[in-house]
Amino acid sequence: MSNKVHVGSTEMEEGLRNNKWKVLEPSEKIKKIPKRLWDVGKEDPRRVIHALKVGISLTLVSLLYLMEPLFKDIGSNAIWAVMTVVVVLEFSAGATLCKGLNRGLGTLIAGSLAFFIEFVANDSGKGLRAIFIGTAVFIIGAAATYIRFIPYIKKNYDYGVVIFLLTFNLITVSSYRVDSVITIAHDRFYTIAIGCGICLFMSLLVFPIWSGEDLHKTTVGKLQGLSRSIEACVSEYFEEKEKETSDSKDRIYEGYQAVLDSKSIDETLALYANWEPRHTIRCHRFPCQQYVKVGAVLRQFGYTVVALHGCLQTEIQTPRSVRALFKDPCVRLAGEVCKALSELADSISNHRHCSPEILSDHLHVALQDLNSAIKSQPKLFLGSNLHRHNNKHQNAVSQRNRANDVSNKTTETGSRQGQSGAVSLSSFRTDTSALMEYRRSFKNNNRSETTSAAGERRMLRPQLSKIAVMTSLEFSEALPFAAFASLLVEMVARLDNVIEEVEELGRIACFKEYDNTRDPTADDVRCEKPANVVISVGAAE
């Protein structure tokens, strides 16, 4: 008994000692924190610049507190400048302008309206003054809140309306108890203006980050991503041997993922780009809404690429020997589509119009070759078994007509032989009919075999279902490839919409004309993968 107690206490001490060392040792997640921090900055170095800009801005507004002469003039209201920098300074110049101007206008309008309310209510008695202030707060608060539901106000000036409500209520309600509230509001307005000024200076003049350029780069990246996805899809579909790794599937998914998830990002970047000044050399207006339209057309095109990727993952696949018959026209057609997408990306990236030969004769030749290749193999698409069944059925009918004078027994024997020789889809029993016949056969058996029959039915149903699917598709083994080929043709049709919107973008943005003398190999040069765009969710709302 004592030995058991001693052994148990020893094991307990060892367990506590091991747990102590586990607590003292840094976990694997903590070890990965420096690497993650480094990856965030490496992915987009502008994040490091923005962090330094925020630190410098906070240091500058803190001087209002730290320096004695400045503190004597402004006082404790300097904290509003610090709060303004924290709230207003955003990643891009457009977002900072949006929030800064909203905050400034909201404060100015709220302060002016509060001064008017104070001036009107100042001559009345204390009781009437309280009623007048309460009524004004109710009317202004309800009206401003209702205005926030207007889509245009919600999209552009929602933050300004919130600041207006906050400032108006603070000044109006405080003026009932505090006599110097007008002076306090005056000082706060100046400190908020100082904070907004520092934010605008850091955003517009110190390594500015423009939302319009981000929208421009993301559009180019989406075109290149779609081109890579199509190229990878077609190359994987016509491979002779199936790959064991999933690198190609990840490459396909990464290509069109950014396109499908781009709606909210494009709209937010376009909203911020509307607030940005014309900062380019030619000083043209940035066509942010046209970029949004291009993104919408690319999403429609991307849905076709997703369906094309789905053809690689279907349960029923066309044999690779059949795919090899149509490999050359499909690869050439996909190559022409990728070439057109790359030309569109290159034209937007270099701010020039598209090549007049973007839809060259090679694309139409590839379409015709694919059509000819499909027509050259009619048995694969029309079903050789079905034609054989029709011929045999006609022969059986003619034989029965010639054998009308034969006895009933001979006729029955001949009909059985004719039925056994014909092969058709109707001769295959579906899983439902076969199972019903199987159940009826077991109803006549003894009750003692009920348990074993139920187990056999459970095993038989998935087998019959699989057999029914495979036999029903036996007439056309190229049916999955037909879906793949139709999606390639659909991409060519949707490519016209993409080209039309990109040409409209070039017209609005005043792109330079296409130069026929430039190096034709320049189209093959692809830009680097654009960095992830940082968007403030609070600012977007």
Side-chain angles (χ1 to χ4, degrees):
M1 181 69 178
S2 59
N3 293 334
K4 292 182 180 180
V5 173
H6 178 70
V7 171
S9 60
T10 304
E11 292 178 353
M12 185 180 297
E13 291 177 359
E14 291 180 355
L16 293 174
R17 192 182 299 110
N18 293 333
N19 292 333
K20 181 179 179 180
W21 282 109
K22 288 182 180 180
V23 173
L24 293 177
E25 292 179 355
S27 62
E28 294 296 331
K29 293 183 179 180
I30 297 177
K31 292 180 181 179
K32 293 180 181 179
I33 290 178
K35 185 179 182 302
R36 291 178 180 176
L37 295 176
W38 175 264
D39 293 339
V40 169
K42 185 179 179 181
E43 186 179 4
D44 190 358
R46 299 180 302 172
R47 297 171 180 174
V48 180
I49 297 175
H50 176 68
L52 295 176
K53 288 162 61 175
V54 173
I56 294 173
S57 301
L58 290 174
T59 303
L60 291 176
V61 295
S62 299
L63 296 177
L64 299 175
Y65 256 105
L66 300 177
M67 298 182 67
E68 191 67 25
L70 297 176
F71 182 77
K72 288 181 179 180
D73 295 336
I74 298 178
S76 59
N77 290 319
I79 192 65
W80 288 90
V82 179
M83 294 174 59
T84 301
V85 170
V86 173
V87 174
V88 171
L89 189 55
E90 293 290 341
F91 183 77
S92 64
T96 303
L97 278 168
C98 179
K99 296 192 72 173
L101 295 179
N102 270 276
R103 188 177 181 87
L105 290 175
T107 303
L108 180 62
I109 296 174
S112 302
L113 186 59
F115 292 161
F116 177 75
I117 297 296
E118 175 67 17
F119 176 77
V120 173
N122 194 21
D123 296 335
S124 59
K126 190 173 183 179
L128 294 177
R129 184 182 180 187
I131 296 175
F132 183 78
I133 290 176
T135 305
V137 168
F138 169 75
I139 295 175
I140 298 298
T145 303
Y146 184 79
I147 289 175
R148 292 181 63 190
F149 292 107
I150 300 176
Y152 181 77
I153 300 297
K154 182 73 175 177
K155 182 180 179 180
N156 296 279
Y157 304 104
D158 186 68
Y159 181 71
V161 176
V162 173
I163 296 300
F164 167 80
L165 280 174
L166 176 63
T167 306
F168 176 78
N169 283 277
L170 285 176
I171 297 175
T172 305
V173 176
S174 300
S175 64
Y176 185 76
R177 297 292 182 183
V178 181
D179 296 333
S180 61
V181 68
I182 303 299
T183 305
I184 296 174
H186 188 267
D187 295 337
R188 287 182 180 179
F189 177 77
Y190 279 118
T191 55
I192 290 174
I194 292 172
C196 289
I198 293 175
C199 292
L200 295 179
F201 173 80
M202 298 299 293
S203 295
L204 298 177
L205 301 178
V206 181
F207 298 102
I209 301 172
W210 305 106
S211 298
E213 291 184 358
D214 287 339
L215 183 59
H216 177 83
K217 292 178 181 178
T218 54
T219 304
V220 175
K222 287 185 288 188
L223 285 166
Q224 294 177 351
L226 289 174
S227 177
R228 289 192 296 267
S229 295
I230 296 172
E231 184 179 357
C233 271
V234 176
S235 61
E236 183 179 348
Y237 189 79
F238 290 103
E239 283 180 352
E240 296 180 358
K241 296 182 180 179
E242 187 176 357
K243 286 186 177 181
E244 297 181 356
T245 59
S246 60
D247 295 338
S248 60
K249 295 181 180 179
D250 295 339
R251 185 157 52 96
I252 296 171
Y253 179 72
E254 290 176 358
Y256 64 75
Q257 180 187 12
V259 180
L260 301 181
D261 301 337
S262 64
K263 186 176 186 297
S264 60
I265 296 176
D266 290 348
E267 292 178 353
T268 304
L269 289 176
L271 172 64
Y272 293 155
N274 274 327
W275 290 87
E276 294 176 352
R278 300 183 182 184
H279 55 277
T280 58
I281 297 176
R282 297 184 179 181
C283 199
H284 291 308
R285 183 178 65 88
F286 186 79
C288 50
Q289 294 303 322
Q290 185 61 31
Y291 275 98
V292 175
K293 292 181 181 179
V294 173
V297 174
L298 288 178
R299 279 193 298 276
Q300 296 295 328
F301 187 89
Y303 298 148
T304 310
V305 182
V306 175
L308 194 71
H309 186 203
C311 293
L312 305 178
Q313 302 173 344
T314 55
E315 294 293 334
I316 302 173
Q317 292 285 346
T318 301
R320 297 188 181 273
S321 59
V322 177
R323 299 185 203 177
L325 300 175
F326 311 97
K327 179 179 179 180
D328 292 337
C330 287
V331 170
R332 279 191 283 113
L333 181 60
E336 292 297 327
V337 173
C338 294
K339 184 180 178 180
L341 292 175
S342 298
E343 167 62 24
L344 293 175
D346 186 68
S347 65
I348 296 177
S349 178
N350 297 325
H351 297 275
R352 63 165 177 81
H353 286 282
C354 304
S355 171
E357 299 178 354
I358 185 171
L359 289 178
S360 61
D361 295 334
H362 298 288
L363 182 62
H364 298 288
V365 171
L367 277 173
Q368 293 177 2
D369 291 345
L370 178 59
N371 188 27
S372 301
I374 292 175
K375 288 183 177 180
S376 64
Q377 301 291 335
K379 294 182 179 181
L380 293 176
F381 296 94
L382 299 178
S384 59
N385 289 339
L386 188 60
H387 287 295
R388 186 169 62 251
H389 163 63
N390 291 334
N391 294 332
K392 291 186 176 182
H393 181 70
Q394 293 177 359
N395 294 332
V397 171
S398 61
Q399 290 177 3
R400 282 196 298 270
N401 292 332
R402 289 193 302 266
N404 288 331
D405 54 346
V406 185
S407 61
N408 293 334
K409 182 176 180 180
T410 307
T411 303
E412 292 177 359
T413 306
S415 62
R416 291 193 192 98
Q417 292 177 356
Q419 292 176 359
S420 61
V423 179
S424 65
L425 295 178
S426 60
S427 63
F428 293 107
R429 287 178 295 180
T430 61
D431 56 346
T432 305
S433 60
L435 186 59
M436 294 300 296
E437 183 179 353
Y438 185 79
R439 289 178 177 175
R440 285 195 299 268
S441 64
F442 270 84
K443 286 182 179 180
N444 299 326
N445 296 337
N446 297 328
R447 296 181 179 180
S448 59
E449 299 179 357
T450 303
T451 306
S452 60
E456 292 180 3
R457 284 198 299 269
R458 286 193 297 269
M459 296 176 61
L460 181 65
R461 181 172 180 82
Q463 296 176 359
L464 288 174
S465 178
K466 186 175 181 180
I467 292 173
V469 172
M470 297 305 296
T471 53
S472 62
L473 292 178
E474 187 178 358
F475 73 98
S476 179
E477 57 186 359
L479 183 61
F481 170 77
F484 185 86
S486 65
L487 290 173
L488 286 177
V489 177
E490 178 66 19
M491 282 195 298
V492 176
R494 296 193 178 188
L495 184 62
D496 291 335
N497 299 331
V498 179
I499 295 174
E500 182 180 353
E501 293 297 337
V502 173
E503 288 179 348
E504 181 68 15
L505 173 64
R507 187 188 64 82
I508 297 175
C510 299
F511 284 177
K512 57 186 178 182
E513 294 297 330
Y514 177 77
D515 187 7
N516 293 325
T517 61
R518 66 190 183 90
D519 186 8
T521 60
D523 294 339
D524 298 334
V525 180
R526 292 183 175 178
C527 301
E528 296 180 357
K529 183 180 179 181
N532 292 340
V533 180
V534 179
I535 295 177
S536 174
V537 178
E541 295 178 354

